[in-house]
Amino acid sequence: MTLTIAVDHASTTAPYEQLRAQISERARSGRLPVGYKLPTVRGLAEQLGLAANTVAKAYKALEADGVIETRGRHGTFVAAAGDAATRRAATAAAQYAEEARRLGLSREAAEAAMNEALRAAYDS
């Protein structure tokens, strides 16, 4: 399996964000399986005609999102992102619930606001 990424240099979306989004989508969909070894920063930068710092920025964002993990000198691999993503979502949900309560919103109003935010994020 080879990683095929397409960066549109004419796009208004930054190249690192295009790279981050494509790797993230492929990892979450399973097209990049857990444990898949990603190219080195330098190697992928060369392949895509990007600066190494651009690829490093994308990898850093993906690692912060729990999509990939770096194992020292062994390389960078697709992580079991479901667990990390679920933990981060639970933490964000708990923070939201606490903030909504602190603001004096009723449970119904807090749920309605959250449902509207989810609709906006997923239905667009």
Side-chain angles (χ1 to χ4, degrees):
M1 165 183 277
T2 52
L3 177 65
T4 305
I5 300 289
V7 176
D8 179 3
H9 295 283
S11 174
T12 58
T13 304
Y16 93 89
E17 179 57 29
Q18 293 179 51
L19 179 59
R20 186 210 59 76
Q22 289 179 54
I23 292 174
S24 180
E25 187 278 323
R26 289 180 183 139
R28 294 190 195 286
S29 71
R31 287 190 293 167
L32 283 179
V34 171
Y36 176 82
K37 186 175 182 179
L38 294 168
T40 64
V41 167
R42 211 173 289 163
L44 188 55
E46 264 182 38
Q47 177 187 334
L48 298 174
L50 298 172
N53 285 343
T54 300
V55 175
K57 185 175 181 179
Y59 275 19
K60 184 175 182 176
L62 287 162
E63 192 160 19
D65 291 345
V67 176
I68 65 173
E69 59 187 2
T70 301
R71 300 179 191 160
R73 295 190 177 271
H74 298 286
T76 303
F77 299 84
V78 173
D83 294 337
T86 300
R87 282 193 306 274
R88 289 190 64 195
T91 299
Q95 290 171 341
Y96 170 76
E98 184 57 34
E99 181 69 12
R101 189 183 61 73
R102 195 173 19 253
L103 291 170
L105 295 178
S106 68
R107 180 184 181 129
E108 293 77 21
E111 287 175 351
M114 177 53 67
N115 286 332
E116 183 55 36
L118 289 169
R119 251 189 307 284
Y122 284 92
D123 296 343
S124 58

